[in-house]
Amino acid sequence: MSNRKPVMAGNWKMFKTGSEAAALLRDLRPKISMIHDVEIVVCPPFTSLAAAAQAISGSNIALGGQNLHWEVSGAFTGEVSAQMLDEAGCRWVIIGHSERRQLFGETDETVHKKILAALRQGLTPIACCGETLAEREANRTLEVVGRQIQGALGALNAGQVKSLVVAYEPVWAIGTGKVATPAQAQEVHAAIRAQVGKLHGSEVAEGLRILYGGSVKPDNIKDLMAQADLDGALVGGASLQAESFAAIVRYRG
Ligand code: PGA
């Protein structure tokens, strides 16, 4: 067992209005209030952050954004800065999710800038990486993920890498019900840790929390968490219901 405190983060994507977010969190709170050995994070849409912040006040649940812009402020219609997330009550932010990369043109370079902006504001980035099905079938998984990790973390210093977490999310497993096998996840997680070790030293690598994401459910979380290099999960669909997200947070039983 590692000393790394697990993180269970809910990525709500474009689901839950403010009132729906508050209702879900009211339902979730008592189901997980006894859990202190797992960091619990929910990432609602921007417009639901205020309602969510109020609903989690005084609880063991932390708030995260799903994206940010790297500039502090400016003429960037439709964008939100790290400072805005901070003031809205966020302590975390998802960066470079595959849906952002595939649908909204994010690149390794913008992901890197966004990570820096989050760190400057004291937010904990959840830096996402993961291969497509075609890349996996072409045996390019480790090369693709390696490039993404290099792009996201390569130019950071050790202290900065200590202040973030990585999420490995194979694109073919997101929202498809096709979870990676624990062995498939472990292989990539171990490769990421080894790469971070080369980039930033073994102490940083050993402390880095690497989350798995992609069809995580109550019935597969335990086997995933049994893997040596798996330190939590980034949960989409199953985080939208209190019962299933609570069961994932309480994976130890
Ligand atoms: P999923 O989504 O759990 O619905 O597969 C995970 C994610 O996209 O972060």
Side-chain angles (χ1 to χ4, degrees):
M1 288 289 284
S2 78
N3 295 324
R4 299 183 292 268
K5 188 174 184 180
V7 181
M8 295 298 178
N11 173 11
W12 292 5
K13 309 193 180 186
M14 199 172 73
F15 294 100
K16 304 293 175 188
T17 64
S19 58
E20 290 167 348
L24 170 55
L25 291 166
R26 266 197 304 276
D27 201 4
L28 179 65
R29 271 182 80 150
K31 293 182 166 55
I32 56 174
S33 59
M34 69 301 285
I35 303 293
H36 295 288
D37 50 3
V38 173
E39 289 198 63
I40 306 163
V41 184
V42 295
C43 304
F46 294 144
T47 50
S48 301
L49 286 173
Q54 202 174 14
I56 61 169
S57 167
S59 78
N60 56 341
I61 306 170
L63 203 56
Q66 297 177 15
N67 179 32
L68 51 64
H69 192 277
W70 58 85
E71 293 290 347
V72 173
S73 60
F76 301 105
T77 302
E79 295 292 319
V80 164
S81 72
Q83 189 186 15
M84 291 167 187
L85 291 181
D86 187 5
E87 208 177 300
C90 293
R91 295 291 158 266
W92 298 73
V93 59
I94 299 168
I95 293 181
H97 188 278
S98 61
E99 286 151 18
R100 300 292 321 165
R101 293 179 189 255
Q102 293 197 318
L103 306 174
F104 301 100
E106 296 201 14
T107 63
D108 291 341
E109 193 194 338
T110 61
V111 167
H112 175 68
K113 287 186 184 173
K114 290 179 181 208
I115 289 173
L116 282 177
L119 290 170
R120 269 198 303 273
Q121 191 64 35
L123 301 175
T124 303
I126 301 173
C128 300
C129 61
E131 82 288 1
T132 63
L133 184 59
E135 288 162 346
R136 175 161 284 266
E137 285 176 344
N139 271 322
R140 294 184 49 220
T141 298
L142 296 184
E143 170 206 326
V144 168
V145 171
R147 190 204 70 224
Q148 291 170 337
I149 292 291
Q150 175 66 36
L153 313 186
L156 300 180
N157 64 40
Q160 290 171 320
V161 178
K162 280 185 182 172
S163 305
L164 57 76
V165 309
V166 167
Y168 166 59
E169 299 201 303
V171 177
W172 48 272
I174 294 178
T176 58
K178 272 192 230 159
V179 64
T181 65
Q184 283 174 323
Q186 169 58 23
E187 183 196 14
V188 180
H189 283 232
I192 293 170
R193 198 177 304 288
Q195 183 180 1
V196 171
K198 280 196 199 123
L199 287 168
H200 300 292
S202 59
E203 192 215 330
V204 175
E206 277 311 305
L208 177 69
R209 289 173 299 176
I210 307 175
L211 318 186
Y212 169 80
S215 298
V216 171
K217 305 284 182 243
D219 64 1
N220 57 33
I221 186 65
K222 210 169 169 184
D223 287 346
L224 289 163
M225 289 302 288
Q227 302 302 307
D229 290 293
L230 222 136
D231 309 308
L234 183 55
V235 186
S239 72
L240 294 172
Q241 281 171 358
E243 196 69 46
S244 49
F245 190 56
I248 288 168
V249 169
R250 298 170 63 168
Y251 70 96
R252 289 192 177 98

